[in-house]
Amino acid sequence: MDKKRIGVLTGGGDCAGLNSAIKWVVKTALDDRLQRSRKIQFEVIGIRDGWKGLIQPEGDEEAPFSRIYALTEEMVRTWDRYGGTNLGTSRTNPYDPKNNCSKIVLENIQRFQLDFLVAIGGEDTLGVAQKLYLEGMKVVGIPKTIDKDLSGTDYTLGFETAVNVITEEIDRLRTTAGSHRRIFVVETMGRHAGWLALEGGESSGAYIILIPEYDFEINKINELVLEGRKKGIRYDIIVVAEGAKPRGRSEILKEGDIDGFGHKMLGGIGEFLEKEIFRSTKIETRSISLSHLQRGGVPCAYDRRMGRYFGIAAIDLIVREEFGRMVNYQNGRITSVPLQEAIARLNLVDVRTQYDTERYNGRRTILGVGM
Ligand code: F6P
């Protein structure tokens, strides 16, 4: 029987659902019955710490052990229940213009005899996967990011768990906000995409939702708050995406480095709003940034299932020899698209059909009535 090696890695920010995807890549590749019918015997090699694992496979001071190891069905049996990624991850970019290590990656792919690679990641990790594909590597991708900003798919692993975290935390904030008649500004992640704020805000019934795709006016927020108070509302939940900004201003950035992919760290818009809203309305206002809580915890049922389906479909792509593609979820089906299509542009909220620019909230017509 033909023997082939599949490498699997997770890159970029961690999230819930990754371990489920890894588990099902391993289980599907190593399944006895399938191996016989495919007439290929697979071996699955786990690559630790994202692309770093293929740059420094022997490890380094940070990880004084090999970053390359064989995965067995027994090892991954319980992984789908756990958050994060048991393979570890990093934001290492082998094609970083300041330190291009792509040759080393290609050499190590040869050295460890990896015939195929499954890259589980967002736009950055899959961008590297696409470049490796163009250099001749047989790569397939699995979409993950709590930001849900990849094109070519309606779902990215980790998103639903993050929305659940937002909803649960806001449920907690409601009782304290209501007791004190306060305004709570809740900052979510999402980078330049408003999906987490919009869907997290809708799930938790937030009064105001602010997204990067539509610049807000602070006066309008104050008006909405005062209007609600006149109607007898005791407290307000305002959900703001980290990338949202007031009209005429730029995004608020955290101090810190720019990563290997050129991303600046966003954060601080919640605190900014807390001060601005209190200054005008004189209503006690507090802010909280949900930050990495959104990426943590156990995966929700949906992420476990989607990780399973994406993992299985990734091996299907390899068996069908359809490389340079990413598995996806579109129109209710798991299929695949070229990696190039997934990374070509960010998938952002369509303000025209999904956002209410008067109420700063989700749209009140789904079927387009009265638009
Ligand atoms: O892309 C996922 C994400 O969680 C963004 O929403 C956020 O801006 C960023 O990663 C945070 O990155 P880090 O974990 O490096 O602080």
Side-chain angles (χ1 to χ4, degrees):
M1 206 172 346
D2 213 5
K3 282 194 177 170
K4 297 279 180 193
R5 269 187 160 188
I6 302 173
V8 57
L9 62 80
T10 50
D14 74 315
C15 65
L18 293 172
N19 283 322
S20 175
I22 301 164
K23 165 176 168 169
W24 285 97
V25 161
V26 174
K27 277 185 76 75
T28 315
L30 302 186
D31 185 293
D32 277 347
R33 192 171 43 105
L34 293 174
Q35 303 225 30
R36 280 196 299 277
S37 65
R38 293 175 197 135
K39 298 188 177 47
I40 312 174
Q41 196 179 355
F42 286 124
E43 195 184 346
V44 184
I45 303 297
I47 299 159
R48 286 195 169 103
D49 303 333
W51 298 115
K52 202 186 266 182
L54 286 172
I55 296 172
Q56 289 162 315
E58 270 86 31
D60 47 24
E61 274 179 18
E62 187 183 79
F65 45 75
S66 174
R67 285 195 165 104
I68 308 286
Y69 66 119
L71 292 170
T72 64
E73 283 189 87
E74 186 46 36
M75 278 162 92
V76 300
R77 193 169 52 83
T78 61
W79 284 22
D80 46 355
R81 291 153 228 180
Y82 301 107
T85 162
N86 289 356
L87 286 180
T89 186
S90 69
R91 292 201 186 275
T92 305
N93 178 7
Y95 291 91
D96 186 342
K98 286 191 227 127
N99 179 23
N100 192 321
C101 301
S102 56
K103 278 218 165 63
I104 302 178
V105 168
L106 287 162
E107 277 161 21
N108 282 322
I109 286 172
Q110 289 263 313
R111 183 175 142 210
F112 292 101
Q113 295 166 348
L114 302 178
D115 301 290
F116 312 109
L117 199 59
V118 179
I120 311 177
E123 46 150 352
D124 299 329
T125 306
L126 298 183
V128 172
Q130 166 67 6
K131 286 186 179 141
L132 290 173
Y133 169 65
L134 294 178
E135 302 214 40
M137 183 67 207
K138 294 175 174 170
V139 191
V140 299
I142 294 181
K144 75 85 215 177
T145 163
I146 64 164
D147 305 342
K148 210 176 74 169
D149 58 357
L150 269 173
S151 289
T153 185
D154 295 340
Y155 193 68
T156 57
L157 286 181
F159 179 74
E160 247 345 278
T161 303
V163 167
N164 283 349
V165 171
I166 296 169
T167 311
E168 284 163 19
E169 296 301 341
I170 290 180
D171 279 348
R172 281 189 191 100
L173 289 172
R174 277 179 194 292
T175 54
T176 170
S179 307
H180 291 264
R181 293 185 179 272
R182 282 175 175 158
I183 299 170
F184 259 88
V185 183
V186 183
E187 182 179 309
T188 67
M189 283 186 164
R191 280 224 172 104
H192 305 294
W195 298 112
L196 269 182
L198 181 62
E199 295 187 46
E202 287 174 338
S203 303
S204 56
Y207 182 50
I208 292 175
I209 302 171
L210 305 169
I211 58 173
E213 291 85 346
Y214 190 79
D215 292 351
F216 59 82
E217 307 261 9
I218 295 176
N219 287 344
K220 176 79 185 170
I221 298 175
N222 296 333
E223 266 170 39
L224 287 167
V225 166
L226 294 172
E227 186 186 305
R229 294 288 165 135
K230 273 197 207 121
K231 287 186 193 156
I233 292 177
R234 275 188 73 88
Y235 70 96
D236 306 270
I237 301 289
I238 301 179
V239 175
V240 60
E242 61 181 2
K245 53 189 188 309
R247 192 159 298 165
R249 296 194 50 157
S250 43
E251 293 154 334
I252 299 188
L253 300 177
K254 267 195 214 149
E255 278 180 27
D257 288 344
I258 295 181
D259 69 21
F261 290 93
H263 298 297
K264 293 178 188 149
M265 297 224 295
L266 294 167
I269 185 70
E271 263 186 71
F272 168 85
L273 281 174
E274 171 187 332
K275 293 194 185 89
E276 287 296 316
I277 296 170
F278 176 69
R279 206 162 52 86
S280 306
T281 63
K282 296 288 174 278
I283 301 171
E284 263 198 293
T285 307
R286 298 284 187 269
S287 67
I288 180 168
S289 167
L290 295 182
S291 186
H292 293 78
L293 287 173
Q294 293 159 99
R295 299 219 307 247
V298 295
C300 67
Y302 192 69
D303 275 320
R304 295 182 202 198
R305 238 161 45 250
M306 291 307 277
R308 174 180 179 134
Y309 303 150
F310 282 162
I312 294 173
I315 299 301
D316 286 348
L317 280 184
I318 289 177
V319 174
R320 287 162 63 145
E321 304 192 323
E322 293 181 22
F323 305 113
R325 298 184 73 83
M326 176 189 83
V327 298
N328 70 344
Y329 179 69
Q330 228 164 19
N331 305 323
R333 287 181 56 222
I334 306 281
T335 56
S336 72
V337 282
L339 279 167
Q340 184 50 44
E341 198 178 310
I343 58 167
R345 60 176 183 85
L346 286 183
N347 170 29
L348 301 175
V349 173
D350 179 1
V351 171
R352 204 179 49 83
T353 57
Q354 290 165 313
Y355 190 66
D356 184 336
T357 55
E358 292 290 309
R359 287 196 172 104
Y360 289 172
N361 211 307
R363 199 140 180 94
R364 290 276 177 97
T365 170
I366 306 279
L367 302 180
V369 183
M371 279 169 71

